[in-house]
Amino acid sequence: MARPRERILILGGGWAGFVLSRNLSPAKYDITVVSPRQNFVFTPLLSEATVGTLEFSHVVEPVRDRKQRINFAPAVARSVDFAKKRVSCEASIVQGTATDIVVRSEPEKVESTREMRGKELDIQRWRQGTKFQLDYDKLVIATGCITNTFNTPGVQENALQYRDIEDARRVQRRIRECFELAVLPNKPEELRTHLLHFAVVGGGPTGIEFVGLLADYIRGDLLKYYPQVKDRVRITLYDVAPKILGMFDESLSTYAMETMKLQGVEIKTSHHIEELRWGEPNKPPIQMDPKSCLTLKTKEDGETGVGMCVWVTGNAINPFIKEALADIDEFPEASIAKRPSDLAKDTKPAGWKVKKNPKTGALLVDGYFRVQLEAKDETTAAMNDVFAIGDNAMLEHGSPPATAIAANQEAKYLAQRLNKNDFDHAAKFSFQDMGLLAYIGDDKGLMQMPHTEVTEKSKMFPEGLKGRTAWLVWRGAYLSLVLSWRNCFLILIYWVLSRLFGRRIQ
Ligand SMILES: Cc1cc2nc3c(=O)[nH]c(=O)nc-3n(C[C@H](O)[C@H](O)[C@H](O)COP(=O)(O)OP(=O)(O)OC[C@H]3O[C@@H](n4cnc5c(N)ncnc54)[C@H](O)[C@@H]3O)c2cc1C
């Protein structure tokens, strides 16, 4: 009789979860991915889609696969019972789609405040997804991170976040909206200037790549359609640190700053954002009104008007990891990989919690990505059926950076271990550092060689690469990671098309 396949549940359809699902053996595992969105987003090329070099469809892959080797549940995980091996989920299928259509089409029918409150309650009810539970034999937690706003007043509500395809669509729409509003005949001159000021907060690789591409798009394409506002457009990059691209060597980071300044990007390092609100600077705040502008307040410069503010300042821990994966209800005796000799005899649930990095809140995993539990007396026990990879996990003994490259390697490593079931004798995960890459605009890039070991390559380019060659390496490297042949071809074709005919203005 054929052995039944083990049920493996993967929470999250991003880099780590998606790559893992595609590399697990369907003959061995019954694979289910739980994720709120139906598509995996190829984040390194998301900005190219935002600025119209590519289409959004080129940077996504469906989590479901054509051959139906992977089950997919469009939902968010809400809690995990490690002892019962069960995950509670809430379906996300109507969120942001059907209910929004209803919300938009109904307001004129709502007459009184009382009725309006009733409607709001209804909408809240529709927005709650159906609750269901999924049992697993093995669980992989790959729910990623959220954007860190550092609790800056007004940022959560008013800044444009930049992680997902919907965020990128919103940014794309707002850029165009700002230009259209600014050229309307009756706009006050001051408001025109504010609307055409684009602010990006965060000088890491994601912020820099977005700013570089935004400058290319505005100066190379958009201004051909709006030549009358050529002298008004401003792009400003803010960062609290004294330099941008802090993880790159000084010479490369300085080169990036100089190149971007030549493109007309103002770089404001050592700037502390204090508030972001709707309304014009030095005037009373207003309710959100896309026809108007926002005011960005910094400690150093005071208030300045902006048409949009994109917030890309790094990671904060996912609320699911923070809130749902904390104390445990029942000690999962059967899941413990290796019972430590000094494992507390008292395995009462109150004494145990999920082991996390005290600073970031990420799940602290062992060298095989096994999630660990920690007793009050700091005894640690790894679970042999619960794993965590990607940005929501940190290896206890030195973790790679929170990047797509690392999540990809972790997912492939874990798939190998799970397929071979060789956790007892396989080598622990070690990250292959390929160096750092970034696009900085004007067809120029940066490439820094890994510093950990001296290789033939790093001897040839001790300072790394910069300029056009680095940009070509950047494009080649990410093209080689695209996960379907279809998108690989389409991306190549669109790169050529946008070079020949310009970017698509949407
Ligand atoms: C715009 C942008 C550009 C980037 N560019 C680069 C780059 O050029 N190079 C590079 O190496 N890295 C880049 N990164 C970083 C890289 O994308 C991340 O490090 C990588 O996505 C981490 O993978 P992950 O699977 O851990 O998380 P994610 O890819 O964020 O995936 C997490 C998934 O979990 C889902 N999820 C969240 N909560 C739940 C829940 N409760 N239940 C179920 N599912 C849940 C999310 O919807 C998402 O699908 C970029 C990131 C961004 C945002």
Side-chain angles (χ1 to χ4, degrees), residues 11-17 34-37 43-44 46 75-77 142-145 162-163 206 209 318 320 389-392 402-405 407 478:
L11 308 183
W15 267 97
V34 175
S35 195
R37 59 182 191 217
T43 46
L46 186 61
V76 282
T143 51
C145 281
Y162 199 62
R163 296 193 85 86
T206 307
E209 280 173 11
N318 187 312
F320 166 67
I389 48 174
D391 285 359
N392 65 188
T403 60
I405 306 283
Y478 285 119

Side-chain angles (χ1 to χ4, degrees), residues 198-204 207-208 211 235-239 244 260 265-269 312:
F198 299 92
V200 178
V201 182
I208 295 295
V211 168
I235 303 171
T236 310
L237 176 80
Y238 293 90
D239 200 302
I244 56 166
M260 296 180 90
V265 177
E266 271 178 80
I267 299 180
K268 298 205 173 209
T269 46
V312 260

Side-chain angles (χ1 to χ4, degrees), residues 166-196:
E166 282 312 317
D167 300 336
R169 280 187 209 278
R170 240 171 264 139
V171 170
Q172 186 186 64
R173 274 200 303 269
R174 183 63 185 164
I175 299 170
R176 193 71 198 277
E177 204 169 81
C178 285
F179 273 88
E180 288 299 344
L181 287 166
V183 296
L184 276 180
N186 58 350
K187 279 279 158 198
E189 290 302 309
E190 269 200 351
L191 187 53
R192 276 187 221 278
T193 310
H194 300 323
L195 282 166
L196 292 171

